[in-house]
Amino acid sequence: MMKTLLVRGMLAGLIAGVLAFGFAYAFGEPSVNAAIGLESGDGHAHSHSHDASAPAPAAEEEELVPRDIQSTLGLLTGVLVYGVAIGGLLSLAFAFAQGRLGALRPRVTALLLTAGAFAVVFLVPFLKYPANPPAVGQPGTIGSRTELYFGFVAVSLLVGIFATVFGRKLADRVGAWNGFLLAAAGYLVVIGVVAWLMPSVDEVPATFPASTLWSFRTASVGTQVTLWLALGLAFGAFAEKALNRRATVAA
């Protein structure tokens, strides 16, 4: 059954990745193109997509991977790999959690796990270190900014795991709902202190168009919401079908 769930989790991640790619390409790439245009010194790029027939700037001529490949095959590959990996991890978490969160249907358990993982892995770190498009941030701080972001993701994930274990133990004493509220409050307090202690990063130039920044960040959130929601729905359906089939065979 573990192998069955793992395969279904990865398949759900593949489906979610395709949908997330479609969202990212439709809503995220225009703001990326606009930011690249600003970085290249094209003052009209914030309102128009790059014209493939126009002469490419010198910076684009030196790119190892053409921009049209980055925005299609490159984006698709990255999102699919991410989706499959997250789907596999979700299936492992589901195998551990199913039956331990009360008498919940498998698809409900899957959705709860997905919602919690979305908040812990993406939403909370995003609130501390929101995504920035090209032309935002100093080249010399890329390494430190990356380390801060993934460090915060790791801390958020660890605190979330401890809060889940703590809440499960509390549920036996104070009830499932009260245990959940206490665990969530504990997570928010701890991660709030961590966020306050960790350095902030604000390298958005004063001249950068606010509309482009807003479009990019909302598209980033929308892409993640699409991926995680599709993943939870697809895997929940797959897992419930597999578990019901096993129960029928066992009967």
Side-chain angles (χ1 to χ4, degrees), residues 9-234:
M10 296 174 70
L11 177 59
L14 188 66
I15 295 172
V18 172
L19 295 176
F21 163 75
F23 186 98
Y25 185 80
F27 297 100
E29 284 303 308
S31 57
V32 173
N33 288 332
I36 291 175
L38 291 169
E39 190 176 32
S40 304
D42 182 359
H44 300 287
H46 65 277
S47 58
H48 299 284
S49 300
H50 175 66
D51 183 359
S53 64
E60 292 187 352
E61 292 177 355
E62 298 176 0
E63 288 183 344
L64 296 178
V65 181
R67 174 65 191 141
D68 57 344
I69 299 298
Q70 294 178 19
S71 62
T72 52
L73 183 60
L75 177 62
L76 177 62
T77 301
V79 175
L80 289 183
V81 170
Y82 178 73
V84 170
I86 293 297
L89 293 174
L90 175 64
S91 68
L92 298 178
F94 175 86
F96 174 79
Q98 179 61 22
R100 293 181 171 89
L101 299 179
L104 299 176
R105 291 178 58 182
R107 67 176 64 212
V108 176
T109 300
L111 284 174
L112 288 176
L113 287 174
T114 306
F118 168 77
V120 169
V121 175
F122 171 74
L123 184 59
V124 171
F126 183 88
L127 294 176
K128 174 62 178 178
Y129 298 114
N132 287 326
V136 172
Q138 302 298 324
T141 63
I142 292 178
S144 61
R145 284 185 281 126
T146 302
E147 291 174 359
L148 284 173
Y149 176 77
F150 283 106
F152 191 72
V153 170
V155 172
S156 178
L157 182 59
L158 288 175
V159 175
I161 292 174
F162 281 121
T164 301
V165 174
F166 180 65
R168 182 65 187 88
K169 292 182 178 179
L170 284 177
D172 297 331
R173 300 181 180 180
V174 299
W177 180 246
N178 291 330
F180 166 77
L181 291 179
L182 289 173
Y187 168 81
L188 292 175
V189 169
V190 173
I191 205 64
V193 172
V194 173
W196 179 68
L197 291 175
M198 292 187 70
S200 300
V201 177
D202 184 9
E203 297 184 351
V204 179
T207 57
F208 193 87
S211 59
T212 301
L213 182 63
W214 172 257
S215 297
F216 179 83
R217 288 180 174 174
T218 53
S220 297
V221 173
T223 299
Q224 292 287 336
V225 169
T226 301
L227 187 143
W228 288 90
L229 180 59
L231 175 60
L233 292 173

Side-chain angles (χ1 to χ4, degrees), residues 1 4-5 8 236-247:
M1 179 52 63
T4 299
L5 290 175
R8 280 161 172 71
F238 292 159
E240 185 161 299
K241 183 176 180 180
L243 291 174
N244 288 342
R245 180 181 300 171
R246 186 182 70 167

